[in-house]
Amino acid sequence: MIKLTSVSKEYPRRGAALRDVSFEVRKGEFVFLTGHSGSGKSTTIRLAHFADRPTSGEVRVSGYSSERLPERDVWKIRRRVGCVFQDFRLLPGRTALENVAFALEVTGTPSKAIGPKANRLLSQVGLAAKAGAPVNELSGGEQQRVAIARALVSEPVVLLADEPTGNLDDRATRGIIDLFFELNAMGMAVLMATHDLELVRAHPHLRVLELDQGRLVFDSAGEAR
Ligand SMILES: Nc1ncnc2c1ncn2[C@@H]1O[C@H](COP(=O)(O)OP(=O)(O)O)[C@@H](O)[C@H]1O
Ligand SMILES: [Mg+2]
């Protein structure tokens, strides 16, 4: 699903954000990506979303390669890969339903199908009752649910999440993680960047990748991969 092979990423004047990173996330896997602030987590998520390209090495996601996919075709990846962020990135002043509906519109959903599908997605993330609420009047946990519903519009096979619980309290965090588990149980691969070690330790059965200064220093699945 996601495969990084000897990936390095250098930013002008900043040196290397990632150094020779290789790992693979398979279909239906749930993986935590951990590491201190500045270790390269967000860079990894951006590369996996093709929001940026590696300086060297290859990123493959859902069959597409960073070496071969032209910039004008990046939307094809976005149809297969959903992404959510710490700061939600919703349209302020719009309702939960409008936020999801807008994403459906952009992906070419026939207009008659948009309303029912947006409502169904909001139900899926446990937010049916708040469909008509402006997103800025929702709690952080609820806003993240809207963002997740929006990420699901194209029925992705991979969900990327960059510190999705970074702005949430413990209770909302558990709710979001449980929702990720539900989506994962339906077959979606999840790569979730977090510096919250407590959260990672609370799920010892899940695979953990750890970055340190741009290097992959630990993979709980071992060297065999
Ligand atoms: N757009 C950018 N331009 C320059 N340097 C960047 C940029 N994004 C990240 N960096 C640098 O790359 C390194 C890794 O950052 P990042 O991937 O955001 O780490 P994390 O998400 O683990 O905190 C840091 O040193 C950061 O300053
Ligand atoms: Mg980050």
Side-chain angles (χ1 to χ4, degrees):
M1 280 290 110
I2 304 174
K3 187 173 185 185
L4 274 67
T5 308
S6 305
V7 166
S8 295
K9 177 67 187 176
E10 285 166 27
Y11 292 111
R13 293 183 304 281
R14 292 300 292 265
L18 291 178
R19 304 162 201 250
D20 197 20
V21 170
S22 300
F23 67 84
E24 183 171 2
V25 176
R26 288 160 202 261
K27 189 170 188 293
E29 242 190 323
F30 193 116
V31 181
F32 283 126
L33 180 64
T34 64
H36 296 299
S37 176
S39 60
K41 302 182 297 298
S42 295
T43 300
T44 303
I45 296 288
R46 271 204 306 280
L47 292 176
H49 203 219
F50 281 51
D52 209 344
R53 303 286 178 126
T55 308
S56 63
E58 184 188 24
V59 178
R60 290 187 72 88
V61 177
S62 186
Y64 295 101
S65 164
S66 60
E67 290 178 349
R68 281 186 290 282
L69 189 73
E71 203 52 42
R72 65 176 182 280
D73 288 341
V74 160
W75 62 272
K76 291 180 180 171
I77 293 246
R78 305 287 156 75
R79 296 258 164 124
R80 314 283 291 153
V81 181
C83 197
V84 296
F85 305 91
Q86 177 169 1
D87 57 0
F88 319 130
R89 304 191 187 179
L90 300 171
L91 300 171
R94 304 293 188 90
T95 66
L97 191 74
E98 286 166 345
N99 267 272
V100 180
F102 184 69
L104 285 164
E105 206 178 305
V106 169
T107 53
T109 308
S111 51
K112 269 191 187 156
I114 289 178
K117 197 161 180 200
N119 277 301
R120 187 175 61 70
L121 286 165
L122 287 172
S123 303
Q124 192 181 351
V125 300
L127 219 58
K130 301 284 175 82
V135 290
N136 39 290
E137 292 174 17
L138 298 176
S139 71
E142 289 167 343
Q143 290 188 53
Q144 193 59 287
R145 284 172 192 272
V146 177
I148 294 167
R150 186 179 57 180
L152 296 179
V153 298
S154 50
E155 296 164 22
V157 290
V158 176
L159 184 63
L160 303 171
D162 191 1
E163 307 273 2
T165 60
N167 283 335
L168 306 182
D169 63 23
D170 286 351
R171 191 189 151 93
T173 294
R174 276 198 302 279
I176 295 300
I177 296 293
D178 286 345
L179 178 55
F180 283 170
F181 287 160
E182 276 175 40
L183 297 170
N184 180 238
M186 292 165 59
M188 208 176 294
V190 179
L191 178 62
M192 172 176 163
T194 180
H195 68 268
D196 183 351
L197 288 182
E198 231 174 282
L199 180 66
V200 174
R201 290 193 188 112
H203 301 93
H205 58 293
L206 293 177
R207 183 168 165 214
V208 180
L209 301 173
E210 186 186 344
L211 290 168
D212 182 26
Q213 296 180 45
R215 290 189 191 281
L216 187 66
V217 293
F218 177 71
D219 179 350
S220 65
E223 314 246 345
R225 278 168 187 269

